PDB file of all heavy atoms in Angstrom:
ATOM      1  N   ALA A 139      75.170  78.107  57.387  1.00 98.00           N
ATOM      2  CA  ALA A 139      74.159  77.692  58.046  1.00 98.00           C
ATOM      3  C   ALA A 139      74.046  76.059  58.094  1.00 98.00           C
ATOM      4  O   ALA A 139      73.715  75.636  59.102  1.00 98.00           O
ATOM      5  CB  ALA A 139      72.700  78.190  57.467  1.00 98.00           C
ATOM      6  N   LEU A 140      74.328  75.535  57.035  1.00 98.00           N
ATOM      7  CA  LEU A 140      74.177  74.078  56.902  1.00 98.00           C
ATOM      8  C   LEU A 140      75.292  73.370  57.926  1.00 98.00           C
ATOM      9  O   LEU A 140      74.866  72.393  58.596  1.00 98.00           O
ATOM     10  CB  LEU A 140      74.444  73.616  55.429  1.00 98.00           C
ATOM     11  CG  LEU A 140      74.576  72.060  55.244  1.00 98.00           C
ATOM     12  CD1 LEU A 140      73.304  71.351  55.697  1.00 98.00           C
ATOM     13  CD2 LEU A 140      74.889  71.700  53.837  1.00 98.00           C
ATOM     14  N   TYR A 141      76.369  73.836  57.823  1.00 98.00           N
ATOM     15  CA  TYR A 141      77.523  73.195  58.740  1.00 98.00           C
ATOM     16  C   TYR A 141      77.191  73.467  60.075  1.00 98.00           C
ATOM     17  O   TYR A 141      77.325  72.502  60.978  1.00 98.00           O
ATOM     18  CB  TYR A 141      78.835  73.853  58.450  1.00 98.00           C
ATOM     19  CG  TYR A 141      79.541  73.324  57.115  1.00 98.00           C
ATOM     20  CD1 TYR A 141      78.872  72.550  56.226  1.00 98.00           C
ATOM     21  CD2 TYR A 141      80.817  73.734  56.814  1.00 98.00           C
ATOM     22  CE1 TYR A 141      79.472  72.197  54.965  1.00 98.00           C
ATOM     23  CE2 TYR A 141      81.484  73.256  55.633  1.00 98.00           C
ATOM     24  CZ  TYR A 141      80.765  72.528  54.707  1.00 98.00           C
ATOM     25  OH  TYR A 141      81.348  72.020  53.520  1.00 98.00           O
ATOM     26  N   ASN A 142      76.569  74.609  60.557  1.00 98.00           N
ATOM     27  CA  ASN A 142      76.030  74.772  61.858  1.00 98.00           C
ATOM     28  C   ASN A 142      74.964  73.751  62.226  1.00 98.00           C
ATOM     29  O   ASN A 142      74.958  73.147  63.352  1.00 98.00           O
ATOM     30  CB  ASN A 142      75.684  76.207  62.084  1.00 98.00           C
ATOM     31  CG  ASN A 142      76.844  77.123  62.392  1.00 98.00           C
ATOM     32  OD1 ASN A 142      77.166  77.270  63.473  1.00 98.00           O
ATOM     33  ND2 ASN A 142      77.189  77.831  61.384  1.00 98.00           N
ATOM     34  N   TYR A 143      73.987  73.604  61.274  1.00 98.00           N
ATOM     35  CA  TYR A 143      73.014  72.702  61.551  1.00 98.00           C
ATOM     36  C   TYR A 143      73.409  71.296  61.657  1.00 98.00           C
ATOM     37  O   TYR A 143      73.091  70.584  62.567  1.00 98.00           O
ATOM     38  CB  TYR A 143      71.988  72.782  60.344  1.00 98.00           C
ATOM     39  CG  TYR A 143      70.777  71.766  60.291  1.00 98.00           C
ATOM     40  CD1 TYR A 143      69.609  72.108  60.889  1.00 98.00           C
ATOM     41  CD2 TYR A 143      70.940  70.525  59.710  1.00 98.00           C
ATOM     42  CE1 TYR A 143      68.608  71.351  60.874  1.00 98.00           C
ATOM     43  CE2 TYR A 143      69.940  69.684  59.566  1.00 98.00           C
ATOM     44  CZ  TYR A 143      68.652  70.020  60.187  1.00 98.00           C
ATOM     45  OH  TYR A 143      67.551  69.208  60.261  1.00 98.00           O
ATOM     46  N   LEU A 144      74.287  70.755  60.859  1.00 98.00           N
ATOM     47  CA  LEU A 144      74.778  69.449  60.887  1.00 98.00           C
ATOM     48  C   LEU A 144      75.589  69.145  62.088  1.00 98.00           C
ATOM     49  O   LEU A 144      75.424  68.150  62.764  1.00 98.00           O
ATOM     50  CB  LEU A 144      75.724  69.157  59.727  1.00 98.00           C
ATOM     51  CG  LEU A 144      75.061  69.253  58.233  1.00 98.00           C
ATOM     52  CD1 LEU A 144      76.200  68.997  57.247  1.00 98.00           C
ATOM     53  CD2 LEU A 144      73.971  68.175  58.050  1.00 98.00           C
ATOM     54  N   PHE A 145      76.286  70.196  62.523  1.00 98.00           N
ATOM     55  CA  PHE A 145      77.185  69.974  63.677  1.00 98.00           C
ATOM     56  C   PHE A 145      76.248  69.977  65.021  1.00 98.00           C
ATOM     57  O   PHE A 145      76.480  69.028  65.804  1.00 98.00           O
ATOM     58  CB  PHE A 145      78.109  71.101  63.836  1.00 98.00           C
ATOM     59  CG  PHE A 145      79.031  71.025  65.057  1.00 98.00           C
ATOM     60  CD1 PHE A 145      80.292  70.274  64.847  1.00 98.00           C
ATOM     61  CD2 PHE A 145      78.916  71.741  66.308  1.00 98.00           C
ATOM     62  CE1 PHE A 145      81.207  70.291  65.864  1.00 98.00           C
ATOM     63  CE2 PHE A 145      79.689  71.665  67.336  1.00 98.00           C
ATOM     64  CZ  PHE A 145      80.932  70.805  67.127  1.00 98.00           C
ATOM     65  N   ALA A 146      75.275  70.826  65.058  1.00 98.00           N
ATOM     66  CA  ALA A 146      74.343  70.817  66.163  1.00 98.00           C
ATOM     67  C   ALA A 146      73.471  69.521  66.326  1.00 98.00           C
ATOM     68  O   ALA A 146      73.405  68.853  67.309  1.00 98.00           O
ATOM     69  CB  ALA A 146      73.373  71.947  66.153  1.00 98.00           C
ATOM     70  N   LYS A 147      73.050  69.001  65.108  1.00 98.00           N
ATOM     71  CA  LYS A 147      72.197  67.802  65.050  1.00 98.00           C
ATOM     72  C   LYS A 147      73.106  66.573  65.489  1.00 98.00           C
ATOM     73  O   LYS A 147      72.581  65.691  66.205  1.00 98.00           O
ATOM     74  CB  LYS A 147      71.588  67.648  63.702  1.00 98.00           C
ATOM     75  CG  LYS A 147      70.633  68.658  63.316  1.00 98.00           C
ATOM     76  CD  LYS A 147      69.405  68.585  64.252  1.00 98.00           C
ATOM     77  CE  LYS A 147      68.237  69.589  63.886  1.00 98.00           C
ATOM     78  NZ  LYS A 147      67.118  69.659  64.824  1.00 98.00           N
ATOM     79  N   GLN A 148      74.285  66.576  65.030  1.00 97.00           N
ATOM     80  CA  GLN A 148      75.134  65.439  65.388  1.00 97.00           C
ATOM     81  C   GLN A 148      75.496  65.377  66.761  1.00 97.00           C
ATOM     82  O   GLN A 148      75.575  64.186  67.426  1.00 97.00           O
ATOM     83  CB  GLN A 148      76.473  65.450  64.614  1.00 97.00           C
ATOM     84  CG  GLN A 148      77.414  64.364  64.706  1.00 97.00           C
ATOM     85  CD  GLN A 148      78.578  64.579  63.925  1.00 97.00           C
ATOM     86  OE1 GLN A 148      79.574  65.275  64.487  1.00 97.00           O
ATOM     87  NE2 GLN A 148      78.758  64.069  62.699  1.00 97.00           N
ATOM     88  N   LYS A 149      75.558  66.606  67.428  1.00 97.00           N
ATOM     89  CA  LYS A 149      75.911  66.589  68.745  1.00 97.00           C
ATOM     90  C   LYS A 149      74.740  66.601  69.791  1.00 97.00           C
ATOM     91  O   LYS A 149      74.838  66.710  70.955  1.00 97.00           O
ATOM     92  CB  LYS A 149      76.796  67.886  69.139  1.00 97.00           C
ATOM     93  CG  LYS A 149      77.978  67.991  68.320  1.00 97.00           C
ATOM     94  CD  LYS A 149      79.013  66.949  68.656  1.00 97.00           C
ATOM     95  CE  LYS A 149      80.257  67.180  67.844  1.00 97.00           C
ATOM     96  NZ  LYS A 149      81.285  66.090  68.104  1.00 97.00           N
ATOM     97  N   GLY A 150      73.461  66.429  69.136  1.00 97.00           N
ATOM     98  CA  GLY A 150      72.249  66.588  70.010  1.00 97.00           C
ATOM     99  C   GLY A 150      72.149  67.884  70.599  1.00 97.00           C
ATOM    100  O   GLY A 150      71.493  67.935  71.702  1.00 97.00           O
ATOM    101  N   GLY A 151      72.555  68.988  69.856  1.00 97.00           N
ATOM    102  CA  GLY A 151      72.402  70.322  70.466  1.00 97.00           C
ATOM    103  C   GLY A 151      71.390  71.154  69.713  1.00 97.00           C
ATOM    104  O   GLY A 151      70.465  70.651  69.143  1.00 97.00           O
ATOM    105  N   ASP A 152      71.681  72.506  69.802  1.00 97.00           N
ATOM    106  CA  ASP A 152      70.654  73.565  69.398  1.00 97.00           C
ATOM    107  C   ASP A 152      71.364  74.331  68.309  1.00 97.00           C
ATOM    108  O   ASP A 152      72.466  74.630  68.431  1.00 97.00           O
ATOM    109  CB  ASP A 152      70.258  74.390  70.492  1.00 97.00           C
ATOM    110  CG  ASP A 152      69.672  73.747  71.698  1.00 97.00           C
ATOM    111  OD1 ASP A 152      68.798  72.713  71.394  1.00 97.00           O
ATOM    112  OD2 ASP A 152      69.918  73.935  72.894  1.00 97.00           O
ATOM    113  N   PHE A 153      70.519  74.713  67.288  1.00 98.00           N
ATOM    114  CA  PHE A 153      70.984  75.580  66.173  1.00 98.00           C
ATOM    115  C   PHE A 153      70.035  76.829  66.153  1.00 98.00           C
ATOM    116  O   PHE A 153      68.818  76.732  66.294  1.00 98.00           O
ATOM    117  CB  PHE A 153      70.594  74.805  64.938  1.00 98.00           C
ATOM    118  CG  PHE A 153      70.836  75.740  63.667  1.00 98.00           C
ATOM    119  CD1 PHE A 153      71.917  76.479  63.386  1.00 98.00           C
ATOM    120  CD2 PHE A 153      69.866  75.406  62.671  1.00 98.00           C
ATOM    121  CE1 PHE A 153      72.027  77.175  62.345  1.00 98.00           C
ATOM    122  CE2 PHE A 153      70.014  76.288  61.442  1.00 98.00           C
ATOM    123  CZ  PHE A 153      71.122  77.141  61.178  1.00 98.00           C
ATOM    124  N   ILE A 154      70.599  77.983  66.291  1.00 98.00           N
ATOM    125  CA  ILE A 154      69.988  79.168  66.530  1.00 98.00           C
ATOM    126  C   ILE A 154      70.127  80.168  65.337  1.00 98.00           C
ATOM    127  O   ILE A 154      71.202  80.291  64.684  1.00 98.00           O
ATOM    128  CB  ILE A 154      70.546  79.858  67.752  1.00 98.00           C
ATOM    129  CG1 ILE A 154      70.216  78.989  69.079  1.00 98.00           C
ATOM    130  CG2 ILE A 154      69.829  81.288  68.084  1.00 98.00           C
ATOM    131  CD1 ILE A 154      71.204  79.355  70.088  1.00 98.00           C
ATOM    132  N   LEU A 155      68.945  80.865  65.061  1.00 98.00           N
ATOM    133  CA  LEU A 155      69.158  81.936  63.986  1.00 98.00           C
ATOM    134  C   LEU A 155      69.089  83.321  64.739  1.00 98.00           C
ATOM    135  O   LEU A 155      68.048  83.585  65.460  1.00 98.00           O
ATOM    136  CB  LEU A 155      67.946  81.864  62.940  1.00 98.00           C
ATOM    137  CG  LEU A 155      68.027  83.111  62.000  1.00 98.00           C
ATOM    138  CD1 LEU A 155      69.239  83.097  61.043  1.00 98.00           C
ATOM    139  CD2 LEU A 155      66.744  83.179  61.196  1.00 98.00           C
ATOM    140  N   ARG A 156      70.147  84.133  64.605  1.00 98.00           N
ATOM    141  CA  ARG A 156      70.279  85.475  65.237  1.00 98.00           C
ATOM    142  C   ARG A 156      70.422  86.481  64.086  1.00 98.00           C
ATOM    143  O   ARG A 156      71.361  86.285  63.189  1.00 98.00           O
ATOM    144  CB  ARG A 156      71.404  85.469  66.195  1.00 98.00           C
ATOM    145  CG  ARG A 156      71.391  86.818  66.901  1.00 98.00           C
ATOM    146  CD  ARG A 156      72.522  86.686  68.198  1.00 98.00           C
ATOM    147  NE  ARG A 156      73.849  86.820  67.538  1.00 98.00           N
ATOM    148  CZ  ARG A 156      74.936  86.055  68.166  1.00 98.00           C
ATOM    149  NH1 ARG A 156      74.648  85.135  69.133  1.00 98.00           N
ATOM    150  NH2 ARG A 156      76.091  86.185  67.623  1.00 98.00           N
ATOM    151  N   ILE A 157      69.640  87.416  64.113  1.00 97.00           N
ATOM    152  CA  ILE A 157      69.878  88.434  62.989  1.00 97.00           C
ATOM    153  C   ILE A 157      70.637  89.529  63.483  1.00 97.00           C
ATOM    154  O   ILE A 157      70.351  90.320  64.558  1.00 97.00           O
ATOM    155  CB  ILE A 157      68.443  88.922  62.562  1.00 97.00           C
ATOM    156  CG1 ILE A 157      67.656  87.908  61.915  1.00 97.00           C
ATOM    157  CG2 ILE A 157      68.572  90.259  61.570  1.00 97.00           C
ATOM    158  CD1 ILE A 157      68.135  87.278  60.627  1.00 97.00           C
ATOM    159  N   GLU A 158      71.841  89.839  62.895  1.00 95.00           N
ATOM    160  CA  GLU A 158      72.743  90.762  63.352  1.00 95.00           C
ATOM    161  C   GLU A 158      72.479  92.185  62.576  1.00 95.00           C
ATOM    162  O   GLU A 158      73.197  92.370  61.529  1.00 95.00           O
ATOM    163  CB  GLU A 158      74.171  90.378  63.335  1.00 95.00           C
ATOM    164  CG  GLU A 158      74.292  89.111  64.200  1.00 95.00           C
ATOM    165  CD  GLU A 158      75.781  88.767  64.571  1.00 95.00           C
ATOM    166  OE1 GLU A 158      76.696  89.097  63.749  1.00 95.00           O
ATOM    167  OE2 GLU A 158      75.922  88.060  65.563  1.00 95.00           O
ATOM    168  N   ASP A 159      71.697  92.943  63.037  1.00 92.00           N
ATOM    169  CA  ASP A 159      71.177  94.173  62.339  1.00 92.00           C
ATOM    170  C   ASP A 159      71.632  95.383  62.941  1.00 92.00           C
ATOM    171  O   ASP A 159      70.934  96.365  62.953  1.00 92.00           O
ATOM    172  CB  ASP A 159      69.711  94.173  62.097  1.00 92.00           C
ATOM    173  CG  ASP A 159      68.999  94.123  63.395  1.00 92.00           C
ATOM    174  OD1 ASP A 159      69.601  93.822  64.464  1.00 92.00           O
ATOM    175  OD2 ASP A 159      67.760  94.463  63.292  1.00 92.00           O
ATOM    176  N   THR A 160      72.995  95.460  63.596  1.00 87.00           N
ATOM    177  CA  THR A 160      73.289  96.561  64.176  1.00 87.00           C
ATOM    178  C   THR A 160      73.801  97.727  63.304  1.00 87.00           C
ATOM    179  O   THR A 160      73.802  98.858  63.581  1.00 87.00           O
ATOM    180  CB  THR A 160      74.552  96.222  65.038  1.00 87.00           C
ATOM    181  OG1 THR A 160      75.577  95.664  64.286  1.00 87.00           O
ATOM    182  CG2 THR A 160      74.342  95.337  66.147  1.00 87.00           C
ATOM    183  N   ASP A 161      74.232  97.323  62.078  1.00 84.00           N
ATOM    184  CA  ASP A 161      74.522  98.397  61.002  1.00 84.00           C
ATOM    185  C   ASP A 161      73.295  98.846  60.248  1.00 84.00           C
ATOM    186  O   ASP A 161      72.893  98.240  59.233  1.00 84.00           O
ATOM    187  CB  ASP A 161      75.549  97.743  60.067  1.00 84.00           C
ATOM    188  CG  ASP A 161      76.102  98.788  59.214  1.00 84.00           C
ATOM    189  OD1 ASP A 161      75.603  99.941  58.964  1.00 84.00           O
ATOM    190  OD2 ASP A 161      77.108  98.678  58.525  1.00 84.00           O
ATOM    191  N   GLN A 162      72.638  99.732  60.769  1.00 81.00           N
ATOM    192  CA  GLN A 162      71.248 100.077  60.304  1.00 81.00           C
ATOM    193  C   GLN A 162      71.428 100.904  58.903  1.00 81.00           C
ATOM    194  O   GLN A 162      70.339 100.842  58.206  1.00 81.00           O
ATOM    195  CB  GLN A 162      70.488 101.024  61.342  1.00 81.00           C
ATOM    196  CG  GLN A 162      70.070 100.478  62.622  1.00 81.00           C
ATOM    197  CD  GLN A 162      68.975  99.322  62.321  1.00 81.00           C
ATOM    198  OE1 GLN A 162      67.886  99.714  61.828  1.00 81.00           O
ATOM    199  NE2 GLN A 162      69.308  98.028  62.533  1.00 81.00           N
ATOM    200  N   GLN A 163      72.593 101.464  58.680  1.00 85.00           N
ATOM    201  CA  GLN A 163      72.698 102.091  57.380  1.00 85.00           C
ATOM    202  C   GLN A 163      72.773 101.157  56.214  1.00 85.00           C
ATOM    203  O   GLN A 163      72.468 101.549  55.063  1.00 85.00           O
ATOM    204  CB  GLN A 163      74.058 102.848  57.460  1.00 85.00           C
ATOM    205  CG  GLN A 163      73.972 104.081  58.417  1.00 85.00           C
ATOM    206  CD  GLN A 163      75.182 105.053  58.355  1.00 85.00           C
ATOM    207  OE1 GLN A 163      76.288 104.553  57.913  1.00 85.00           O
ATOM    208  NE2 GLN A 163      75.045 106.276  58.659  1.00 85.00           N
TER     209      GLN A 163
END
């Protein structure tokens, strides 16, 4: 998450949180 955040901030872009809950079991 940190590396994504740093990369987005450096590029003036967006950092998104997506929850991948397809495996309900």
Side-chain angles (χ1 to χ4, degrees):
L140 173 63
Y141 283 10
N142 275 278
Y143 175 90
L144 296 176
F145 187 82
K147 292 297 179 185
Q148 187 184 80
K149 305 295 183 184
D152 301 317
F153 170 50
I154 298 157
L155 174 64
R156 187 171 73 220
I157 298 296
E158 300 199 336
D159 58 347
T160 56
D161 190 346
Q162 292 293 298
Q163 291 185 337

